[in-house]
Amino acid sequence: MENTGQGLHARVLESLGPEITAGEHSPGTVLRTDELAQRFDVSRTVIREAIRVLESMHLVESRRRVGVTVRPTEEWNVFDPRVIRWRLAGADRPRQLRSLTVLRCAIEPAAAGLAARHATPDQCAALTEHAMGMVATSRGQQLEAYLVHDTAFHRTLLTASGNEMFARLNDVVAAILTGRTHHHVMFTDPDPAAVTLHVQVAEAVRTGDAARAEELTREITVGAMAELDILAP
Amino acid sequence: MENTGQGLHARVLESLGPEITAGEHSPGTVLRTDELAQRFDVSRTVIREAIRVLESMHLVESRRRVGVTVRPTEEWNVFDPRVIRWRLAGADRPRQLRSLTVLRCAIEPAAAGLAARHATPDQCAALTEHAMGMVATSRGQQLEAYLVHDTAFHRTLLTASGNEMFARLNDVVAAILTGRTHHHVMFTDPDPAAVTLHVQVAEAVRTGDAARAEELTREITVGAMAELDILAP
DNA sequence: GTGACACAAACGTCATACTTATTATTCCCG
DNA sequence: CGGGAATAATAAGTATGACGTTTGTGTCAC
């Protein structure tokens, strides 16, 4: 239960954060540090440190004499990994998943194009290796093993793009892929066409064909959007 | 500009953050809270709150008995608005600007396509209005006025996409546009072709032509990359 | 009704003592 | 001489109480 034992402030954060992102405290609600200290049975010091982090995420705003007020959703730092995680774990998980998928579909083709230019031999090898792994595990209900290779493939692709911003989105893509397998209840084996596309992307990156890598990746992402009933762009 | 005097912890943060992102403390360096408290002449409480925020940005890692160690660049939360701002203000501004531009060029076409589907009449009106403003200020060294309309145009476009993640990138795009005008020393008037493209994008969004809006916006972003000598994808 | 003024509530800051985890050192035994 | 266990040292983590600062609000006089 307590996987958050890294300090009391972390424990408070992992309680308050999800509460806020889940909308349990509607925007405008005021939280008082004294009450929170009493509720969590910790000192105000600990509460204040947690509040400071929530404030850095633009989830709350602390003002004198008034207290800690919850900010409206539009002001949240929706790119903060923790905010993403909390929202994915909360009630509006579907909407968050759609937002992230749209983002992913804008990013990954561009990342693939860059990877075709910048990927190191090691990265090319890793890509083909994971693509082969996907092929090997694409039949016979080996969904977990398939997911591992799928995640590794996209992580390698994003890293190989050489763009630090893209690289930092691998957690997002991993969350999407994991979510699809675990939550969306994939009983059936993966789409063979998608598996083939991954192999072809690895090949395009290896041969340095940026345009082809981008287009093939776009096909993959279009498929990902279709799974969530998002209009293709 | 930004109010850095809003509390001592904010002051410390706005000193330590830039120092770290500028590489003044190389990864692995250990900072001790007591020393920092002495250096900034504040209590340890204040230092701890600042450290907690830096920790939430993955800039540092606080461990008992060892101190606060600076983390390697690859682990930083490069999407955090403050990290972006600090790096833009620091030494590796050029590289940061290129990273952001690549990101922008992956995002904006997709955002334009979505905007063509989701934009409200008000947003369409704002788009055309700002495009007209760009036309009106595109000649005669009215660079500042042009920048205002340019920024507003792209902000409206990203917001109109209806995707919260895209919408939160308007600060990034604004930083890029501002940087081009101010830093890149634009003596010459804007490229007339780019101005025309903006008008056409506004028109495409208004008429709901998603494919056209996306393609036109891609042409704009390709131009933005060319200005920074980035290979077109 | 309007202005100034005083009060109080909540956060902000500080100082201090104590706790805990982690590392480094010592020391004993094989 | 070497290795592992006991021990000490260290720096962050937590608790507490006091005081400062800002600011919303109510009151009072005019």
Side-chain angles (χ1 to χ4, degrees):
Chain A
M1 171 167 159
E2 308 301 322
N3 57 351
T4 339
Q6 220 75 315
L8 289 183
H9 53 293
R11 188 173 68 81
V12 172
L13 196 62
E14 289 295 328
S15 284
L16 271 183
E19 284 179 16
I20 295 172
T21 56
E24 235 166 281
H25 309 282
S26 55
T29 307
V30 292
L31 309 169
R32 260 102 49 164
T33 53
D34 284 327
E35 291 181 4
L36 292 173
Q38 195 168 1
R39 172 185 157 195
F40 288 101
D41 194 37
V42 295
S43 70
R44 294 191 306 282
T45 311
V46 170
I47 296 295
R48 285 182 51 72
E49 287 175 14
I51 292 295
R52 205 76 326 127
V53 175
L54 292 173
E55 197 176 42
S56 90
M57 301 174 177
H58 279 69
L59 292 185
V60 303
E61 182 184 12
S62 181
R63 292 178 56 198
R64 274 174 159 146
R65 159 69 190 185
V66 60
V68 178
T69 66
V70 178
R71 303 180 80 152
T73 315
E74 312 86 63
E75 300 179 7
W76 295 354
N77 269 0
V78 288
F79 278 96
D80 189 297
R82 246 169 312 199
V83 174
I84 292 175
R85 200 183 75 222
W86 292 338
R87 296 183 73 187
L88 278 177
D92 65 14
R93 173 193 176 85
R95 183 157 57 190
Q96 173 73 99
L97 215 45
R98 293 165 75 97
S99 288
L100 292 176
T101 299
V102 171
L103 174 70
R104 174 204 171 190
C105 295
I107 292 296
E108 264 204 309
L114 287 174
R117 289 197 174 84
H118 299 0
T120 67
D122 282 353
Q123 289 167 332
C124 290
L127 275 183
T128 47
E129 185 182 343
H130 292 128
M132 305 286 257
M134 291 176 69
V135 172
T137 56
S138 63
R139 290 167 166 272
Q141 299 291 316
Q142 309 179 52
L143 296 180
E144 287 301 329
Y146 179 85
L147 174 63
V148 170
H149 285 118
D150 198 4
T151 305
F153 179 91
H154 290 279
R155 174 166 33 82
T156 306
L157 188 68
L158 289 169
T159 304
S161 74
N163 184 305
E164 57 185 359
M165 315 287 290
F166 289 175
R168 284 301 274 174
L169 289 175
N170 59 33
D171 288 336
V172 168
V173 175
I176 292 173
L177 297 176
T178 306
R180 180 183 52 174
T181 299
H182 289 168
H183 201 264
H184 198 272
V185 208
M186 262 179 70
F187 287 127
T188 67
D189 283 341
D191 179 14
V195 179
T196 305
L197 281 171
H198 283 76
V199 176
Q200 291 174 315
V201 166
E203 183 67 9
V205 169
R206 195 178 61 78
T207 59
D209 191 340
R212 182 165 161 80
E214 182 175 349
E215 185 51 36
L216 288 168
T217 305
R218 193 178 308 280
E219 287 185 43
I220 293 177
T221 59
V222 165
M225 295 233 282
E227 285 179 2
L228 294 181
D229 298 320
I230 302 175
L231 299 113
Chain B
M1 206 159 149
E2 192 91 14
N3 45 2
T4 60
Q6 232 50 327
L8 290 184
H9 51 284
R11 189 172 67 78
V12 173
L13 195 63
E14 290 295 328
S15 284
L16 270 183
E19 283 178 16
I20 294 173
T21 56
E24 236 166 281
H25 309 281
S26 54
T29 307
V30 292
L31 310 169
R32 259 93 50 139
T33 54
D34 284 321
E35 290 182 5
L36 292 173
Q38 196 169 359
R39 172 184 158 195
F40 288 102
D41 195 36
V42 295
S43 71
R44 226 169 49 116
T45 310
V46 170
I47 296 295
R48 285 182 50 73
E49 288 175 14
I51 292 295
R52 202 90 309 135
V53 175
L54 291 174
E55 199 176 39
S56 90
M57 300 173 178
H58 280 70
L59 292 185
V60 303
E61 181 183 12
S62 182
R63 291 179 55 200
R64 275 180 157 144
R65 158 70 187 184
V66 58
V68 178
T69 65
V70 178
R71 304 180 79 152
T73 315
E74 313 86 63
E75 300 178 8
W76 295 355
N77 268 359
V78 288
F79 278 96
D80 189 297
R82 248 169 311 198
V83 174
I84 291 175
R85 200 182 76 222
W86 292 338
R87 297 183 70 186
L88 277 178
D92 64 13
R93 172 193 178 87
R95 184 157 57 189
Q96 173 74 97
L97 215 45
R98 293 165 75 95
S99 288
L100 292 176
T101 299
V102 171
L103 174 70
R104 174 203 173 191
C105 294
I107 293 296
E108 264 203 310
L114 286 175
R117 290 196 173 87
H118 299 6
T120 68
D122 282 354
Q123 290 168 331
C124 291
L127 275 183
T128 48
E129 186 182 342
H130 292 127
M132 304 286 258
M134 291 175 69
V135 172
T137 56
S138 63
R139 290 167 166 273
Q141 298 291 314
Q142 309 179 55
L143 295 180
E144 287 300 328
Y146 178 84
L147 174 62
V148 169
H149 284 117
D150 198 3
T151 304
F153 179 91
H154 289 279
R155 175 167 31 82
T156 306
L157 188 68
L158 288 170
T159 305
S161 74
N163 184 305
E164 58 184 359
M165 315 286 291
F166 289 174
R168 286 300 275 176
L169 289 175
N170 59 32
D171 288 334
V172 167
V173 175
I176 292 174
L177 298 175
T178 306
R180 179 182 54 174
T181 299
H182 290 167
H183 197 265
H184 199 271
V185 209
M186 262 180 71
F187 288 127
T188 66
D189 283 339
D191 178 13
V195 179
T196 304
L197 280 171
H198 282 76
V199 176
Q200 291 174 315
V201 167
E203 183 67 9
V205 169
R206 196 179 60 76
T207 59
D209 190 340
R212 183 166 160 78
E214 183 175 347
E215 186 50 37
L216 289 167
T217 305
R218 178 161 285 117
E219 287 186 40
I220 293 177
T221 59
V222 165
M225 295 235 281
E227 285 180 1
L228 293 182
D229 298 320
I230 303 176
L231 299 115

